[in-house]
Amino acid sequence: MLNIIACFKWVVDEADVKIDAKSRALLMERVGYKISDYDRNAIEEAVRLQEQHGGNVVAATVGPSTAKQCLKDALSRGPERADFINDPSFVDLEPEQTAAILATAIKAKEEYDLIICGEGSSDLYAQQVGPALAERLGIPCATCVNKLTLAESKKEIIAERKLDDGMEVVSMPLPALVTVLPDINTPRIPTLKQVLGAAKKPVDNITLNDLGQTYKPCLQTTGILAATMERRRLKFGADEKNILVIIGALLKEGVIA
Amino acid sequence: MNFNLTEEQELVRAGVREFCQKYVEPLAEKVDEEAYFPMETVKKLTEQEWTGIPYPAEYGGAGADYLTYIIVVEELSRACATTGFTLECHTSLASYPLYKFGTEEQKQKYLVPLCKGEMLGSFALTEPGAGTDAGAASTTAVLDGDEYVLNGSKMFISNSPVAGVFIIIAMTDKSKGTKGLSAFIVPGGTPGLKVGEHLNKMGIRGSVTAEVVMKDCRIPKENLLGNEGQGFKIAMMTLDGGRIGIAAQALGIAQAALDESIQYSKERVQFGKPISSFQAIQWMIANMATDVQAARFLTYHAAWCYDQGLPYSKEAAMAKLFASETAARQTNRAIQIHGGIGFIKGHKVERLYRDAKITEIYEGTSEVMRMVISGNLLR
């Protein structure tokens, strides 16, 4: 029996973001929202482990009160209930704030063996919330996980980590936290009955008032502009002499040093 | 007035889009090119519980509304019209008459496996000599003891080569014209029931369509659906609902034509700039998008009427008429925007153009739709 918390973030669907060609401003008037891509893997992994070993899955999210739409989406993917930690001020939170809010709520009301987060969110991809949450809860954490197995003793979780220079397998005593990569599984598409049944699942509405503290940001965003790719439109020949010219151009642009 | 879909309808739409990206789009070209029936996709539709969307859970359905079903057909057709239509034919034409007119026993025996996707259904009304003129049907059903004996042939019967059960309309009393028609439940594989070759079609090429021939095909008396003489009414009511499904199919095709045109016009460069910067193209895109949106509103409104228990015959006819003609017109426009490349096999807009045409013909031609609409208005 495992009690698992799957954390997820409700993010702007990047496919809907348009760019104003002149000002490079992001046009967000007609954007849709979705569960952050890797968080869907987190929920799927939690449900998979629960199906295998029994127990409970709670989907937890922090966001503005208007993000209520995310709950049916998350619950249709298998968790039994959701923690909706919300306040109108919970917009554009920094990862550290999100981790602190999640930690307060989880400490106050949840019993858990395992917390699963996505490796990073589709919007910011800061990769901070998971490790910061583990730190605040005082539990071990493994990031970049692409395989998760419960040890036979049922007291440890074995995580395979995909690192730049190879694979690492770690074992952690429970309770623990992992952040998962998309390779770990293929999230199921909810069936029609799962979608229709989501509304019947319980949601704990947790407000800033319930948390009993405030969470100040440390950063100030001064502006967001779309990235541009400028083409230099340089032409080179394919002969030996031109290789030096190419290298010279790359050095000049700072592509190589 | 509320134009918002429910959260559940939005989630289903997102789910179908993901499903199409994963399973339907990658097969669509093969389905068209090889006239390949995508049975593997049908199995997956079953796993998603999309094979009995608008029917109650007690009959194996999902108990969702008709609009949810319409959204699923629209999105499937946007990726592959064959797949969307296969589900439409199964749900609207085969399952609906069983749901509406079947006895409890008939529903348990046939509707439950249809809704659960354990088998596909087919509906046989058209004959070589009786298309729009359904009363000219020459297929007969004669009561012989405890059995009806069916003889005759049905033409252009969709899903027939893969169907586990057929709803067949046959004449029980020729002297009464359309009032002499009756509907029968005929299980696939019944001796005397033969399904011909998969017809080589211009569009929706993977959808399996064939002639169905009955030669002394005996079925138990209890397989009469509704009462004797109710066949025409059953067929017309079935087609009324089906027309919303065909409107959704046409809508999906038209939306796909618009999607392809927007994308291509932004990528294709002529005279040093994307063709989307030319007003001729901009106007085409504007007209396409406006038509598609109008088709969507008519289609969703017809489905909404169905869900509200309001009359929907006229609304379904309007939706089908406008959406199918939109699909035909706008797939043509999409090829125009694409130029030469749009005329080449293997390009999606070329397939869309061929897939669109049938929506103006089956489940009632555009001419019949105008008759239904005007008939409702000029009573």
Side-chain angles (χ1 to χ4, degrees), chain B residues 162-182:
Chain B
V162 290
V165 67
F166 295 78
I167 306 299
I168 295 182
I169 309 294
M171 194 63 87
T172 42
D173 187 347
K174 185 82 184 163
S175 67
K176 291 183 180 165
T178 54
K179 288 193 175 155
L181 289 167
S182 303

Side-chain angles (χ1 to χ4, degrees), chain B residues 306-348:
Chain B
Y306 181 108
D307 285 328
Q308 299 301 312
L310 297 168
Y312 60 88
S313 177
K314 180 186 74 179
E315 289 72 11
M318 284 177 163
K320 195 217 175 235
L321 172 65
F322 190 79
S324 63
E325 293 194 347
T326 291
R329 197 164 51 238
Q330 302 313 351
T331 51
N332 184 359
R333 188 73 72 209
I335 293 182
Q336 197 63 23
I337 290 173
H338 281 69
I341 194 74
F343 193 64
I344 302 298
K345 284 266 177 199
H347 200 291
K348 188 169 177 181

Side-chain angles (χ1 to χ4, degrees), chain A residues 191-192, chain B residues 42-51 116:
Chain A
T191 68
L192 187 47
Chain B
V42 172
K43 283 191 181 132
K44 290 194 176 84
L45 294 175
T46 301
E47 289 164 18
Q48 293 301 134
E49 297 163 340
W50 293 336
T51 42
K116 286 185 170 171

Side-chain angles (χ1 to χ4, degrees), chain A residues 22-40:
Chain A
K22 280 184 193 143
S23 66
R24 284 166 58 198
L26 307 187
L27 307 174
M28 312 285 266
E29 293 90 6
R30 288 175 183 264
V31 292
Y33 289 80
K34 63 175 186 180
I35 293 178
S36 179
D37 294 343
Y38 296 1
D39 294 351
R40 289 173 46 179

Side-chain angles (χ1 to χ4, degrees), chain A residues 108-137:
Chain A
K109 68 177 290 281
E110 295 294 350
E111 281 183 17
Y112 59 90
D113 302 304
L114 182 64
I115 299 175
I116 308 181
C117 301
E119 178 62 26
S121 61
S122 305
D123 52 359
L124 297 179
Y125 203 70
Q127 299 172 277
Q128 296 291 307
V129 172
L133 176 58
E135 184 64 25
R136 284 177 177 272
L137 295 173

Side-chain angles (χ1 to χ4, degrees), chain B residues 44-122:
Chain B
K44 290 194 176 84
L45 294 175
T46 301
E47 289 164 18
Q48 293 301 134
E49 297 163 340
W50 293 336
T51 42
I53 299 172
Y55 305 114
E58 61 196 284
Y59 299 124
D65 53 19
Y66 210 72
L67 182 51
T68 300
Y69 156 63
I70 286 305
I71 291 167
V72 173
V73 174
E74 175 193 349
E75 290 296 333
L76 288 174
S77 304
R78 188 175 173 184
C80 168
T82 284
T83 308
F85 174 63
T86 299
L87 183 69
E88 193 275 343
C89 176
H90 169 82
T91 309
S92 293
L93 299 189
S95 302
Y96 174 85
L98 282 164
Y99 171 61
K100 203 72 189 170
F101 296 93
T103 61
E104 187 57 30
E105 203 186 334
Q106 287 171 339
K107 286 180 191 172
Q108 291 300 335
K109 196 166 174 187
Y110 299 106
L111 181 59
V112 170
L114 283 173
C115 287
K116 286 185 170 171
E118 291 163 7
M119 62 183 183
L120 280 173
S122 180

